[in-house]
Amino acid sequence: MTGKSHLKRLTGYALKYKSGLVCSVLAMIAVAVLEPLVPALLKPLIDENFSQSSNVNPLKIPILLLAVFLFKGLAEYASNVLSQWVANKVITDIRDAVFTHQLNITIENYLSESPGRIISRFLYDIPQISASLSAAWIILIRDSLILIALLSYLFFVSWPLTLVMLLTAPPIIFLINFVGKKLRKSNFEIQENTALMTKTITQVTNGIREIKLYGVEKKISTLFERTSELIRSKTMYVVKLTAANVPTVQFLAALAVTIVIYLATLLSQGDRLTPGAFVSFIAAMSLMFEPIRRLTGVNAILQKGFAACDSIFEILDKQVEIHGNNLNSSSQIIENLNGMKIEFENVSFKYPATDQYSLKDVSFKISDREFIGIVGSTGSGKSTLFNLFAAFYLPTKGKIYVNGLSIEGLSKKSLREKISWVGQPVTLFDDSVFSNVAIGNINASKGDVLKALEIAHCMDFVEKLPDGIYTIIGPNGSNLSGGQRQRLAIARALLRNSSIYLFDEATSALDSHSAGLIRMVYDQIKGQKTLIVISHDLSTLTNANKIYVFDNGSMVESGAHSKLIDKKHYSKLVNK
């Protein structure tokens, strides 16, 4: 996307705050109008006040100058405060929009980026846009208006001298454009390397035990140092380019001033320019230096902002789930008055960017309140089934029906409200026990949470925590054992009181006591809700109504435990 299109979109955000924007621009116009009054007052000061024959009141010009500075100062204050208010409102809107959009894009789009890239979007990209909005646009508008006002005055005083001065404009514009392209490319590379650095930090945070265990500290440090050096070198390139740009522009401007002063001197000697007009002209020219310097320097800030806009608007342009799968206002709502029935009809599925199918021509039916077991060797496609149950992905081929309705035309919200999922590994939040469980039902009372904890056999350890259910459990429940974390996740699922419960290896890597407690939860759910369990521990599935056996993406066997015990694939799993 171009800088022009980015500006157009940012302006769209700013226009939501028209009153602040209009008042800010009016204040900037006031600053611009008052700016040339300072050199304009110097003309009568020189030509009249310093003339021996003048009868002008000596206080008149100084008082007018003081008034100009007073009102100019007030206008600058108003323009800065109002501009910053609008800019910060826009940044808050963009930050909120990106976060909300990130939550609502499809799983496919979400997983296409590394966690480090997602985090750096908030820690690096948005602050760059903030800098562009809070500083750059003020400079662009205010200083451009000031230059227009000063140029108008210069034309009024002496248009030939002004035309000579403007001869330096084309090379300055060319230089700014050339440097701008270089800066934008470098800033984009800095963004990408910052994302890589964030990714490395995230991986170290999540995998510190493995890093220490396998002794790869030096390798990880080398990778981090290499990325850090790339950011440093690119940053220094931007610094050098910016540092060279400003004095070069200033030199070209000074060259114009030198020529103008020489010509003005000749005009003054020929009585074609009064001393007051000469001083006024030079003063107005001098006042242009600072706006020119700021406008030249703002290009670097703008290019950083435009490079960041590429990343921000890329995510905002990604489709949200509700649009991506025809789930608009006409999408169907699941009614489960007669129970929940699920049917897979010749379903095949492959993940994006792969040619290999994870599921191949799978067909089965699940009736309401059945206990279904799903087994198979690692990589046989079991967990992929759960991704399809929850409509995180749609089938590549075939159809999935819920209560006779195709999943493609269903409201995802309506579908997911009927599902509780306990996965492996468990995801918990750095919050209290109560908050982690209550996320399953935000309207639940303390009594509801305590009941869910009781059913999930959590109270034996929760009661021993320092603050009971209000104890903070650490990042991803790091202050709890594996079994405790698993049971807490089950309590969260139970509190949701869904129609369908999905358990993905819920007893994996647990001791026999914790696994036994989770099996007791299965027994409590069985017959009350639809229960679908993926497990390598076949002892947890002996009471299942049906067991579906998967191998290499295909369903190869099905039936109750007693009927499958002598079957080829199931018996292999039993005897492992």
Side-chain angles (χ1 to χ4, degrees):
M1 294 179 73
T2 63
K4 187 180 291 185
S5 61
H6 290 329
L7 279 174
K8 185 177 179 180
R9 291 186 71 165
L10 291 173
T11 302
Y13 281 98
L15 287 175
K16 293 192 326 188
Y17 307 100
K18 287 182 181 177
S19 58
L21 199 62
V22 169
C23 291
S24 173
V25 173
L26 288 174
M28 291 181 192
I29 292 172
V31 172
V33 170
L34 290 167
E35 189 76 11
L37 289 183
V38 175
L41 288 170
L42 292 178
K43 184 178 183 297
L45 181 68
I46 301 296
D47 290 340
E48 297 176 17
N49 284 36
F50 290 172
S51 173
Q52 293 180 356
S53 60
S54 175
N55 294 318
V56 176
N57 186 344
L59 283 175
K60 180 182 175 182
I61 301 301
I63 289 174
L64 287 174
L65 281 170
L66 186 63
V68 167
F69 279 108
L70 174 62
F71 288 111
K72 183 169 169 285
L74 291 172
E76 285 182 341
Y77 172 81
S79 68
N80 283 329
V81 171
L82 289 168
S83 298
Q84 290 287 353
W85 181 82
V86 173
N88 281 284
K89 279 285 189 180
V90 169
I91 284 301
T92 300
D93 289 346
I94 291 174
R95 187 189 295 115
D96 294 347
V98 171
F99 187 81
T100 301
H101 207 84
Q102 195 85 54
L103 288 175
N104 290 306
I105 60 175
T106 62
I107 285 286
E108 178 183 343
N109 280 329
Y110 191 91
L111 296 179
S112 66
E113 294 186 308
S114 69
R117 185 70 195 89
I118 294 170
I119 293 169
S120 73
R121 187 172 282 122
F122 292 93
L123 298 184
Y124 182 81
D125 297 350
I126 291 178
Q128 294 302 322
I129 299 177
S130 177
S132 293
L133 282 174
S134 60
W137 89 286
I138 299 173
I139 294 172
L140 275 174
I141 298 174
R142 184 190 62 197
D143 288 347
S144 295
L145 289 171
I146 288 172
L147 285 178
I148 291 170
L150 289 171
L151 274 173
S152 301
Y153 177 71
L154 289 174
F155 270 109
F156 172 75
V157 174
S158 176
W159 65 264
L161 290 177
T162 306
L163 287 176
V164 171
M165 183 189 70
L166 289 176
L167 290 175
T168 57
I172 290 175
I173 293 169
F174 171 79
L175 181 65
I176 290 173
N177 286 334
F178 175 77
V179 172
K181 291 177 182 178
K182 296 286 184 182
L183 287 172
R184 187 168 178 180
K185 181 182 177 183
S186 297
N187 283 311
F188 179 78
E189 291 172 353
I190 291 172
Q191 278 180 220
E192 294 303 309
N193 281 294
T194 301
L196 182 59
M197 177 183 283
T198 310
K199 174 184 173 182
T200 304
I201 294 169
T202 304
Q203 289 176 336
V204 168
T205 303
N206 295 334
I208 188 64
R209 291 182 179 85
E210 288 77 6
I211 289 170
K212 288 182 176 294
L213 182 65
Y214 293 108
V216 291
E217 292 94 337
K218 186 175 181 180
K219 180 181 178 181
I220 299 295
S221 292
T222 302
L223 175 62
F224 185 87
E225 289 165 6
R226 189 182 304 136
T227 307
S228 184
E229 175 59 25
L230 279 171
I231 293 173
R232 186 205 64 81
S233 62
K234 289 295 178 183
T235 302
M236 283 309 302
Y237 178 74
V238 170
V239 169
K240 291 175 183 176
L241 208 57
T242 305
N245 186 41
V246 173
T248 303
V249 171
Q250 286 181 329
F251 174 78
L252 291 173
L255 178 62
V257 171
T258 302
I259 297 170
V260 165
I261 290 174
Y262 171 71
L263 294 175
T265 304
L266 295 179
L267 289 173
S268 180
Q269 289 175 352
D271 292 329
R272 295 171 60 188
L273 195 68
T274 67
F278 174 74
V279 171
S280 179
F281 192 93
I282 298 301
M285 279 188 63
S286 301
L287 287 174
M288 292 178 67
F289 282 176
E290 190 60 23
I292 289 172
R293 185 192 66 79
R294 287 196 296 262
L295 285 168
T296 306
V298 82
N299 193 36
I301 304 172
L302 275 177
Q303 296 308 321
K304 283 184 181 180
F306 289 156
C309 282
D310 288 335
S311 168
I312 295 302
F313 291 139
E314 178 190 3
I315 190 69
L316 289 177
D317 289 338
K318 286 186 177 180
Q319 285 187 323
V320 183
E321 275 189 318
I322 197 166
H323 299 304
N325 300 318
N326 300 319
L327 301 181
N328 47 37
S329 57
S330 62
S331 58
Q332 295 170 296
I333 305 298
I334 299 174
E335 299 290 347
N336 62 338
L337 299 176
N338 299 316
M340 296 290 290
K341 299 172 185 177
I342 302 169
E343 180 181 358
F344 274 53
E345 185 181 273
N346 306 117
V347 170
S348 297
F349 176 77
K350 60 180 179 179
Y351 286 98
T354 63
D355 295 324
Q356 185 176 357
Y357 279 88
S358 299
L359 290 177
K360 304 168 188 173
D361 198 28
V362 174
S363 297
F364 60 78
K365 294 181 181 180
I366 299 176
S367 300
D368 184 49
R369 301 184 186 183
E370 275 195 308
F371 178 7
I372 302 296
I374 298 175
V375 300
S377 57
T378 301
S380 60
K382 304 185 299 298
S383 295
T384 298
L385 283 172
F386 279 16
N387 281 323
L388 295 177
F389 278 135
F392 290 142
Y393 297 93
L394 295 177
T396 307
K397 298 177 183 176
K399 294 285 185 180
I400 300 174
Y401 297 97
V402 179
N403 285 1
L405 302 174
S406 172
I407 203 169
E408 292 183 28
L410 288 176
S411 159
K412 278 193 172 71
K413 182 179 180 182
S414 172
L415 173 63
R416 291 170 187 164
E417 283 175 348
K418 309 294 188 295
I419 296 174
S420 288
W421 184 331
V422 179
Q424 183 65 259
V426 165
T427 299
L428 297 174
F429 302 96
D430 189 7
D431 208 332
S432 67
V433 170
F434 179 88
S435 296
N436 271 279
V437 176
I439 197 173
N441 183 352
I442 58 175
N443 297 316
S445 66
K446 180 181 177 181
D448 295 331
V449 171
L450 290 172
K451 184 179 179 181
L453 289 168
E454 188 70 43
I455 296 172
H457 304 282
C458 295
M459 291 308 295
D460 60 332
F461 71 85
V462 170
E463 288 176 341
K464 297 174 184 177
L465 295 173
D467 298 311
I469 62 172
Y470 300 109
T471 302
I472 304 298
I473 61 174
N476 205 25
S478 58
N479 296 335
L480 303 176
S481 69
Q484 291 169 342
R485 294 171 65 250
Q486 198 77 24
R487 281 181 276 164
L488 204 60
I490 291 173
R492 180 169 63 195
L494 292 172
L495 185 67
R496 191 170 173 83
N497 194 28
S498 304
S499 302
I500 302 171
Y501 284 82
L502 308 178
F503 287 82
D504 188 356
E505 299 289 1
T507 60
S508 174
L510 297 184
D511 58 77
S512 58
H513 174 69
S514 296
L517 293 175
I518 290 173
R519 281 194 290 271
M520 290 171 65
V521 174
Y522 292 169
D523 292 337
Q524 289 174 287
I525 297 174
K526 182 184 177 184
Q528 306 299 316
K529 307 284 184 179
T530 300
L531 176 62
I532 306 172
V533 177
I534 294 174
S535 182
H536 280 99
D537 182 3
L538 301 186
S539 66
T540 62
L541 304 177
T542 54
N543 294 327
N545 300 110
K546 290 178 189 173
I547 298 173
Y548 296 135
V549 185
F550 282 79
D551 182 62
N552 196 29
S554 300
M555 192 175 77
V556 292
E557 294 166 354
S558 66
H561 172 77
S562 57
K563 292 183 179 180
L564 290 172
I565 196 71
D566 295 324
K567 297 284 186 179
K568 175 184 175 183
H569 293 280
Y570 189 75
S571 61
K572 283 183 181 180
L573 296 172
V574 171
N575 296 325
K576 271 189 179 181

